Tab-separated table of all heavy atoms in Angstrom:
chain	number	residue	atom	x	y	z
A	93	TYR	N	-7.347	21.488	17.042
A	93	TYR	CA	-8.151	20.909	15.967
A	93	TYR	C	-7.563	19.593	15.471
A	93	TYR	O	-8.294	18.663	15.119
A	93	TYR	CB	-8.280	21.907	14.808
A	93	TYR	CG	-9.139	23.104	15.142
A	93	TYR	CD1	-8.739	24.392	14.780
A	93	TYR	CD2	-10.341	22.966	15.817
A	93	TYR	CE1	-9.515	25.508	15.092
A	93	TYR	CE2	-11.125	24.063	16.127
A	93	TYR	CZ	-10.711	25.329	15.776
A	93	TYR	OH	-11.490	26.418	16.079
A	94	GLY	N	-6.223	19.517	15.428
A	94	GLY	CA	-5.578	18.275	14.994
A	94	GLY	C	-5.858	17.127	15.942
A	94	GLY	O	-6.190	16.010	15.512
A	95	ILE	N	-5.732	17.392	17.263
A	95	ILE	CA	-6.006	16.350	18.253
A	95	ILE	C	-7.484	15.967	18.238
A	95	ILE	O	-7.838	14.782	18.335
A	95	ILE	CB	-5.603	16.841	19.666
A	95	ILE	CG1	-4.080	16.936	19.784
A	95	ILE	CG2	-6.166	15.926	20.736
A	95	ILE	CD1	-3.383	15.597	19.775
A	96	LYS	N	-8.349	16.968	18.121
A	96	LYS	CA	-9.784	16.689	18.070
A	96	LYS	C	-10.118	15.811	16.864
A	96	LYS	O	-10.890	14.842	16.979
A	96	LYS	CB	-10.573	18.003	17.994
A	96	LYS	CG	-12.083	17.809	18.073
A	96	LYS	CD	-12.810	19.147	18.104
A	96	LYS	CE	-14.315	18.949	18.204
A	96	LYS	NZ	-15.048	20.238	18.239
A	97	LEU	N	-9.516	16.145	15.705
A	97	LEU	CA	-9.737	15.339	14.508
A	97	LEU	C	-9.233	13.922	14.723
A	97	LEU	O	-9.889	12.944	14.341
A	97	LEU	CB	-9.013	15.984	13.317
A	97	LEU	CG	-9.176	15.284	11.962
A	97	LEU	CD1	-10.638	15.280	11.539
A	97	LEU	CD2	-8.324	15.975	10.905
A	98	ARG	N	-8.059	13.793	15.363
A	98	ARG	CA	-7.487	12.462	15.612
A	98	ARG	C	-8.417	11.637	16.495
A	98	ARG	O	-8.655	10.453	16.230
A	98	ARG	CB	-6.117	12.598	16.270
A	98	ARG	CG	-5.500	11.259	16.659
A	98	ARG	CD	-4.151	11.419	17.309
A	98	ARG	NE	-3.611	10.122	17.680
A	98	ARG	CZ	-2.406	9.933	18.191
A	98	ARG	NH1	-1.605	10.968	18.397
A	98	ARG	NH2	-1.990	8.720	18.506
A	99	ILE	N	-8.928	12.241	17.561
A	99	ILE	CA	-9.798	11.517	18.495
A	99	ILE	C	-11.088	11.065	17.800
A	99	ILE	O	-11.539	9.925	17.965
A	99	ILE	CB	-10.121	12.399	19.715
A	99	ILE	CG1	-8.845	12.607	20.554
A	99	ILE	CG2	-11.215	11.767	20.571
A	99	ILE	CD1	-8.996	13.638	21.655
A	100	LEU	N	-11.673	11.951	17.011
A	100	LEU	CA	-12.925	11.624	16.328
A	100	LEU	C	-12.718	10.540	15.276
A	100	LEU	O	-13.530	9.622	15.146
A	100	LEU	CB	-13.513	12.880	15.688
A	100	LEU	CG	-14.037	13.938	16.677
A	100	LEU	CD1	-14.402	15.224	15.948
A	100	LEU	CD2	-15.233	13.411	17.453
A	101	VAL	N	-11.618	10.644	14.519
A	101	VAL	CA	-11.321	9.623	13.504
A	101	VAL	C	-11.024	8.290	14.175
A	101	VAL	O	-11.449	7.228	13.700
A	101	VAL	CB	-10.142	10.074	12.617
A	101	VAL	CG1	-9.675	8.935	11.716
A	101	VAL	CG2	-10.549	11.266	11.755
A	102	SER	N	-10.303	8.328	15.311
A	102	SER	CA	-10.003	7.109	16.056
A	102	SER	C	-11.298	6.427	16.503
A	102	SER	O	-11.446	5.203	16.393
A	102	SER	CB	-9.145	7.444	17.279
A	102	SER	OG	-8.954	6.308	18.078
A	103	GLN	N	-12.231	7.222	16.978
A	103	GLN	CA	-13.530	6.687	17.406
A	103	GLN	C	-14.239	6.005	16.241
A	103	GLN	O	-14.759	4.889	16.379
A	103	GLN	CB	-14.379	7.835	17.939
A	103	GLN	CG	-15.854	7.521	18.127
A	103	GLN	CD	-16.668	8.777	18.375
A	103	GLN	OE1	-16.569	9.360	19.439
A	103	GLN	NE2	-17.440	9.206	17.382
A	104	ASP	N	-14.248	6.649	15.086
A	104	ASP	CA	-14.946	6.098	13.922
A	104	ASP	C	-14.256	4.851	13.382
A	104	ASP	O	-14.915	3.898	12.956
A	104	ASP	CB	-15.050	7.160	12.824
A	104	ASP	CG	-15.976	8.305	13.219
A	104	ASP	OD1	-16.669	8.173	14.246
A	104	ASP	OD2	-15.981	9.336	12.518
A	105	LEU	N	-12.900	4.860	13.372
A	105	LEU	CA	-12.158	3.691	12.906
A	105	LEU	C	-12.439	2.489	13.804
A	105	LEU	O	-12.690	1.382	13.316
A	105	LEU	CB	-10.656	3.988	12.887
A	105	LEU	CG	-10.137	4.868	11.752
A	105	LEU	CD1	-8.705	5.299	12.022
A	105	LEU	CD2	-10.209	4.125	10.420
Side-chain angles (χ1 to χ4, degrees):
Y93 290 136
I95 290 291
K96 186 176 181 180
L97 182 62
R98 176 180 179 175
I99 292 171
L100 291 171
V101 171
S102 174
Q103 167 192 288
D104 292 350
L105 284 169

